[in-house]
Amino acid sequence: MKEQNQHCRKNSYKKVGYDLKLLIIDQIQNAQISINHAANKYQVSRASIYYWLKKYSTLEQKKQGMSKKDEIKKLKEKIEELEFVKD
């Protein structure tokens, strides 16, 4: 009966630093490594990697969204400046 319990043990994973998370995400997004291979290589759960990928992609979208808003704001200011010069 003890042998059966050993097979049901939960895998223990180590804490992963921010830099390593970015490295793993970068390798996966550049098709250098698969999620399964990364999970085995870095001793991280696949669920964690999926979570990081989702979190990273929403972070990138927010950055792009903010930069677009800033760009629009700058363009509006430039238009106002040019209209002032024109008059």
Side-chain angles (χ1 to χ4, degrees):
M1 192 162 246
K2 259 189 172 181
E3 289 179 35
Q4 285 181 339
N5 289 341
Q6 288 178 342
H7 294 293
C8 297
R9 286 180 127 176
K10 185 177 179 181
N11 290 337
S12 61
Y13 297 103
K14 61 182 179 180
K15 291 264 183 187
V16 178
Y18 184 73
D19 292 335
L20 183 57
K21 287 178 186 179
L22 289 179
L23 175 71
I24 294 169
I25 290 168
D26 187 54
Q27 288 180 345
I28 291 169
Q29 289 181 334
N30 292 324
Q32 295 172 338
I33 194 172
S34 71
I35 292 174
N36 287 337
H37 186 75
N40 290 332
K41 181 177 179 179
Y42 297 105
Q43 292 298 300
V44 179
S45 70
R46 288 190 319 258
S48 293
I49 295 174
Y50 282 115
Y51 175 75
W52 300 338
L53 286 166
K54 182 179 177 183
K55 194 170 184 179
Y56 181 76
S57 68
T58 56
L59 179 67
E60 285 299 308
Q61 287 172 352
K62 284 182 184 178
K63 282 183 183 177
Q64 288 177 354
M66 290 301 288
S67 65
K68 285 181 183 178
K69 286 180 185 177
D70 290 341
E71 187 177 347
I72 290 170
K73 184 178 176 183
K74 286 179 185 177
L75 288 172
K76 285 181 180 179
E77 289 173 358
K78 187 69 174 175
I79 289 170
E80 288 176 9
E81 181 183 322
L82 289 171
E83 286 177 346
F84 180 76
V85 171
K86 185 179 92 178
D87 293 339

